[in-house]
Amino acid sequence: MANQAKTHKIKMMEEQLAKKLNRQVVGSLVGCVHCGMCDESCHYVLAFPDDHKMTPSYKADQVRKLFKANHDWTGSVFPWWVGADKVPLSDDDLETLKDIAFGTCTNCRRCTLSCPMGVDTATLNRIMRGLLSHVGVMPEGVRVVSKDQWEIGNQMGVLKEDYIDTIEWMSEELEEDLGHAEATIPMEKKGAKIMYCINPREVKYDPRTIKEAALIFWAAGEDWTMPDEGWDNTNFGLFSGDDGLGGACAKREYEKARELGVDKIVISECGHGFRSTRFEGVNWAGESEPVPMESSVMTMLNYVREGKIKVDPTKNPEKMTFHDSCNNARSGGFFEEPRELLNLVAMDFQEMYPNRAEGFCCTGGGGAMSMSEYTPRRLESAKIKADQIRATGAKVVVTSCHNCVDGLNDLIKHYKLDCEVKQLVNLVANALVLDEVEKPVEEVAVPEEITVKPVAEAEPLAGRKILVVDDEEDVRTFLITVFEDAGAEVISAADGNEAIAMAREHLPDLISLDLSMPGKDGVETFVELRSTAETEEIPVCVVTGHPEFRQVIYDRPVPPPEGYLGKPVDEDKLVAYASHILEHRNEKAN
Amino acid sequence: MVERKIGDKNLRLVREDITEMEVDAFVFDITEDVKLGSGFGAAIQQRGGIVIQKELDEIGGCPTGEAVVTEAGILKADWIIHANGPKFREEDEEGKLRKTVQSALARAEEKGVKRLAFPPMGTGLYQVPLDLCSRVMVKTISDHLAEGGTLEEVLIAAPDNREFDPFKAQIQEGA
Ligand code: SF4
Ligand code: SF4
């Protein structure tokens, strides 16, 4: 060993590593013979074939070096032979390790399948992430999101009042859609059979998935509830390698389920949320008798199998393929049930190859969506997935994971694929036939076919001034027309500088902002609006379709936007979102 | 109720969201660059208004172990005491944590605060071990209350059992 003294951080990491060693981990640490059989399994190797630093064994060797230098006699005696570090790591080396552990591996575990020695590289990579985060070395997005989950209780920093407000909003919409006073979203209902936990992305950026799930529960006559706390099924501890955070997140769900006295927790379609809540969280939290848990895919499938809901697959006629979330499939063994459900609710399903346990990562796994500094590399590594999707000729990629939705949407845009992403909850809600279903309250008439659309008010935006910012003229014209038809006074800008000047001069009630513009882009414009006295309080609805948006959500240079819509924009959704943001703002002001 | 009486003063453990508490002041574990950031920092900005970050920007910084004060915008509290506790297993965690808690208490006394709330300092993202944190915080606050001053009640807000239980054990141990 070397004469150079170890730094305090390195000592802390070594101390922490000792706590992570168990038989499985040690097996992976000592088992690798560097045969290279796993190389081609990795989407990073396929995208960067000449870069040996992308190979699974190189990534895992970073933990091995630490292990061998400190916990294996061979490393102490023959460091040169086993690849242990002769010189202790310096604090500067930790930045390089950070880029390897967070920026070149999505912990997808695909390489594990190809290893004859049973080496689990993803587990080792997660350990390296955990050692680094323990001493504060992590991408900014990971730090921001982890702190939100530790302190606010969910990974997107959704405040309790905003969560309750969104659930009430969806509940009111459901009631209006169905014209049924009992078609609401129950909150904190003690003794309900099911507690439904969701991904905060649903609250913040895709609340209609909550309404769709509520519609399905209602149609099935389910006795269910949403909790007011402990509702986040995601778990950044899985990504950051912090088992403490992992246990804390999972425990909040388990304890809430016990407090409400429910029979089981149903986990909405989120791959890592399912793995963390259903499997890993039980160990991290030291639960001896966890509450039963299931994926909402199972719940929906059972409703169809048992005849509790009726579905009409002809309502989903497009050609569809299915993307397996790595956490659901490879790590959870959850392959056939989503396919069975998909075949029940859609007409034309085309398998993507490879699939199931062998499917490639969407490249947004392992928390990659929160690390904007690695986006270009991530998108390059997504080529293999893009090629496979294109080969199916599908118009819709179905997946059972919110993270995969974002990952797939990014790669679809980057590789200009002609398709969109949907989840099973979208398809089941769309295929639902309510006329022959036994209703919880018989006397109430329900429309024969339910379309999940907000009820249109004549001019819901009357008296409001809206600034539309978009560099594309046709999009701008479309947005202006939609807002004007809804009664708003609309002004517009074609670039960032113009937007800032107009916002200052006209002080609009709401700004609809594109994030991808030449010159001063939308992210800079947004940060400037938020940091300028006159404009800081103006609510912003981001209308975009680009990965830049992740930077705003995850790096959080300023408080996040009030709303988000992906392109192409749905007219009704846009007006409903804008009205909701403005109403919510008024309530807060009062 | 989990509490410890120290003369006519009180140290009490509660399960509340610290940024919503009706106290004269609460403590926020800030970083050296005095950016509120995410977590409780995001709740402070969204519930209290961005004037708080503006005031912090004027202050400019806060070394480890020290504390600075701002007003609390439209939050229920009057003041926020931004105290920079030890983070990510840095050296002399215990000494730095004690000093941070003492600095926060001193700033509170300077403002004539009667009711002050603390979070468990640094036990989440910042990796301060819970046993060390609960021991040092309960002892430092108790010692301070025993010395007199304007503070009448200090609350520790621990919403999760993970934090609540070790603090409860520490408070009851010396009660
Ligand atoms: S876990 Fe996935 S991303 Fe990481 S090295 Fe293995 S195949 Fe590559
Ligand atoms: S992890 Fe397994 S397959 Fe990959 S190089 Fe090592 S021994 Fe070979």
Side-chain angles (χ1 to χ4, degrees):
Chain A
M1 285 293 292
N3 334 339
Q4 192 181 313
K6 280 180 193 163
T7 69
H8 176 73
K9 279 188 183 175
I10 306 298
K11 282 190 212 150
M12 289 295 107
M13 286 172 68
E14 286 173 0
E15 193 185 297
Q16 187 72 355
L17 175 62
K19 296 180 192 157
K20 303 289 161 198
L21 298 177
N22 56 36
R23 214 158 57 159
Q24 183 209 356
V25 170
V26 172
S28 288
L29 282 167
V30 299
C32 179
V33 293
H34 295 86
C35 66
M37 279 176 72
C38 58
D39 290 357
E40 302 276 296
S41 310
C42 177
H43 48 283
Y44 286 101
V45 175
L46 296 178
F48 305 96
D50 300 326
D51 186 349
H52 77 285
K53 292 185 172 170
M54 295 297 154
T55 60
S57 53
Y58 177 86
K59 298 167 202 173
D61 280 351
Q62 308 312 310
V63 190
R64 283 188 190 111
K65 285 180 189 170
L66 269 180
F67 170 74
K68 291 197 168 163
N70 296 285
H71 300 279
D72 184 340
W73 67 269
T74 56
S76 318
V77 182
F78 314 112
W80 44 271
W81 186 40
V82 296
D85 270 326
K86 288 187 229 59
V87 181
L89 292 167
S90 73
D91 285 357
D92 289 343
D93 295 330
L94 299 184
E95 285 299 312
T96 311
L97 287 180
K98 176 189 85 174
D99 288 338
I100 296 168
F102 289 95
T104 67
C105 173
T106 56
N107 287 359
C108 75
R109 298 186 68 241
R110 191 166 192 272
C111 51
T112 304
L113 293 188
S114 325
C115 178
M117 310 300 289
V119 170
D120 189 345
T121 295
T123 293
L124 299 186
N125 196 61
R126 180 174 178 271
I127 286 178
M128 179 52 90
R129 288 180 174 199
L131 300 180
L132 291 165
S133 356
H134 190 63
V135 295
V137 181
M138 64 193 109
E140 185 56 17
V142 173
R143 179 190 296 251
V144 164
V145 174
S146 302
K147 192 161 189 286
D148 271 344
Q149 205 159 24
W150 270 116
E151 295 175 5
I152 307 276
N154 66 84
Q155 65 153 285
M156 286 198 176
V158 180
L159 298 178
K160 190 169 179 179
E161 57 271 29
D162 294 334
Y163 164 76
I164 304 265
D165 174 77
T166 303
I167 302 300
E168 282 174 356
W169 172 32
M170 287 300 111
S171 185
E172 283 159 21
E173 278 203 6
L174 182 71
E175 198 183 327
E176 282 173 16
D177 290 350
L178 297 176
H180 192 308
E182 294 201 1
T184 54
I185 301 181
M187 176 69 74
E188 284 287 287
K189 184 178 171 202
K190 294 227 178 214
K193 288 209 173 82
I194 283 174
M195 176 175 108
Y196 187 53
C197 290
I198 57 173
N199 182 314
R201 180 185 172 280
E202 299 183 68
V203 184
K204 213 118 186 156
Y205 306 109
D206 197 8
R208 272 166 181 76
T209 52
I210 305 170
K211 185 168 74 169
E212 287 168 338
L215 173 69
I216 296 162
F217 284 134
W218 183 79
E222 188 58 82
D223 179 14
W224 71 295
T225 189
M226 294 194 75
D228 66 354
E229 281 171 358
W231 52 265
D232 179 7
N233 68 31
T234 70
N235 198 319
F236 230 71
L238 182 70
F239 299 152
S240 70
D242 180 352
D243 293 349
L245 175 59
C249 297
K251 194 112 189 147
R252 288 176 191 142
E253 289 176 83
Y254 306 153
E255 285 181 351
K256 191 68 187 183
R258 277 193 282 267
E259 180 196 320
L260 290 176
V262 297
D263 293 351
K264 66 181 166 191
I265 298 174
V266 170
I267 303 156
S268 80
E269 287 177 275
C270 173
H272 94 271
F274 178 64
R275 178 175 165 195
S276 304
T277 307
R278 175 72 184 77
F279 307 115
E280 313 279 6
V282 175
N283 296 324
W284 294 328
E287 278 282 313
S288 48
E289 284 182 65
V291 182
M293 292 170 259
E294 73 181 20
S295 158
S296 63
V297 172
M298 238 14 261
T299 317
M300 293 188 286
L301 178 59
N302 283 334
Y303 289 158
V304 184
R305 280 176 177 168
E306 293 162 13
K308 287 189 176 162
I309 59 174
K310 194 177 166 217
V311 286
D312 174 5
T314 64
K315 293 192 183 167
N316 293 311
E318 308 92 333
K319 184 169 196 172
M320 300 191 183
T321 190
F322 186 73
H323 161 76
D324 289 280
S325 129
C326 301
N327 284 312
N328 277 340
R330 198 156 31 248
S331 293
F334 201 41
F335 314 124
E336 304 310 330
E337 295 85 350
R339 285 173 171 79
E340 185 182 343
L341 184 57
L342 179 51
N343 275 314
L344 287 165
V345 296
M347 293 294 289
D348 188 0
F349 168 53
Q350 164 77 50
E351 214 41 283
M352 179 187 325
Y353 295 97
N355 55 52
R356 295 174 169 81
E358 286 166 18
F360 276 96
C361 179
C362 68
T363 73
M369 304 309 292
S370 67
M371 307 170 206
S372 52
E373 59 270 58
Y374 307 126
T375 301
R377 187 189 292 143
R378 168 167 70 82
L379 288 171
E380 241 181 283
S381 77
K383 184 170 182 305
I384 179 77
K385 191 90 222 177
D387 288 346
Q388 287 164 359
I389 295 173
R390 193 181 276 116
T392 66
K395 292 286 174 228
V396 178
V397 188
V398 183
T399 189
S400 261
C401 172
H402 281 279
N403 217 34
C404 296
V405 170
D406 284 341
L408 293 168
N409 268 324
D410 278 7
L411 75 83
I412 282 172
K413 265 150 212 142
H414 187 75
Y415 290 97
K416 300 188 169 48
L417 303 185
D418 178 23
C419 59
E420 61 176 323
V421 187
K422 288 189 177 171
Q423 289 182 270
L424 282 162
V425 71
N426 308 134
L427 300 180
V428 175
N430 191 50
L432 212 52
V433 180
L434 290 176
D435 50 348
E436 291 171 29
V437 177
E438 205 181 307
K439 312 296 185 308
V441 178
E442 287 144 27
E443 70 273 17
V444 179
V446 172
E448 201 174 282
E449 287 189 4
I450 299 302
T451 47
V452 185
K453 272 192 172 178
V455 173
E457 239 177 79
E459 289 196 326
L461 298 175
R464 307 292 200 173
K465 192 191 289 175
I466 298 178
L467 169 60
V468 168
V469 188
D470 204 303
D471 63 310
E472 290 175 61
E473 201 183 337
D474 51 342
V475 180
R476 213 165 50 239
T477 311
F478 167 77
L479 295 172
I480 293 172
T481 313
V482 172
F483 286 134
E484 281 182 347
D485 286 352
E489 177 192 341
V490 186
I491 48 178
S492 66
D495 63 49
N497 285 327
E498 197 188 348
I500 290 164
M502 292 194 76
R504 280 185 171 160
E505 192 188 333
H506 298 277
L507 299 178
D509 299 305
L510 176 74
I511 300 172
S512 141
L513 179 66
D514 176 23
L515 281 195
S516 182
M517 297 183 292
K520 177 174 279 180
D521 74 15
V523 176
E524 286 174 74
T525 308
F526 176 67
V527 172
E528 196 166 328
L529 285 166
R530 277 281 142 105
S531 341
T532 308
E534 304 99 295
T535 54
E536 66 194 8
E537 305 256 348
I538 303 175
V540 175
C541 181
V542 166
V543 179
T544 192
H546 293 266
E548 291 91 326
F549 182 56
R550 320 268 171 242
Q551 203 187 329
V552 179
I553 315 176
Y554 292 111
D555 287 2
R556 202 84 55 73
V558 285
E562 282 70 16
Y564 158 74
L565 282 175
K567 284 179 180 171
V569 181
D570 175 275
E571 208 170 305
D572 292 333
K573 230 179 178 182
L574 178 64
V575 174
Y577 255 70
S579 315
H580 178 72
I581 292 171
L582 290 165
E583 274 167 29
H584 189 44
R585 173 54 58 121
N586 276 358
E587 279 166 24
K588 275 198 159 177
N590 294 334
Chain B
M1 192 186 296
V2 181
E3 65 178 357
R4 179 189 285 190
K5 292 265 179 223
I6 301 143
D8 57 349
K9 304 188 181 232
N10 218 4
L11 169 60
R12 193 148 64 90
L13 185 61
V14 292
R15 281 181 198 274
E16 282 180 56
D17 179 334
I18 194 159
T19 64
E20 300 236 85
M21 285 174 73
E22 292 199 33
V23 284
D24 302 321
F26 67 82
V27 177
F28 172 64
D29 188 355
I30 203 156
T31 43
E32 193 162 357
D33 60 2
V34 289
K35 293 290 175 216
L36 287 166
S38 62
F40 290 139
I44 289 172
Q45 293 187 75
Q46 288 178 51
R47 289 176 176 151
I50 69 164
V51 289
I52 302 163
Q53 182 62 63
K54 292 238 146 82
E55 206 179 328
L56 281 167
D57 290 344
E58 275 161 30
I59 293 169
C62 178
T64 306
E66 302 291 326
V68 296
V69 187
T70 65
E71 291 188 7
I74 55 169
L75 293 171
K76 290 170 192 154
D78 295 328
W79 309 101
I80 302 175
I81 297 173
H82 308 267
N84 183 2
K87 292 173 175 71
F88 300 117
R89 309 309 318 271
E90 61 184 84
E91 280 172 278
D92 188 22
E93 242 170 352
E94 179 161 346
K96 285 173 181 166
L97 177 61
R98 189 177 306 111
K99 182 161 184 267
T100 309
V101 175
Q102 285 165 344
S103 300
L105 292 162
R107 293 298 88 74
E109 297 282 1
E110 284 160 18
K111 291 288 178 193
V113 167
K114 291 197 170 82
R115 292 182 82 232
L116 171 71
F118 273 94
M121 295 289 289
T123 56
L125 176 72
Y126 298 136
Q127 307 282 320
V128 175
L130 260 167
D131 52 351
L132 180 147
C133 182
S134 54
R135 177 171 51 78
V136 172
M137 282 188 71
V138 169
K139 167 102 174 54
T140 311
I141 296 167
S142 302
D143 288 352
H144 180 92
L145 291 177
E147 282 169 14
T150 60
L151 277 166
E152 291 169 5
E153 183 166 59
V154 176
L155 303 134
I156 295 172
D160 282 342
N161 284 341
R162 175 185 178 273
E163 287 82 23
F164 197 92
D165 293 346
F167 272 92
K168 181 177 167 186
Q170 286 293 336
I171 289 175
Q172 289 179 337
E173 198 171 279

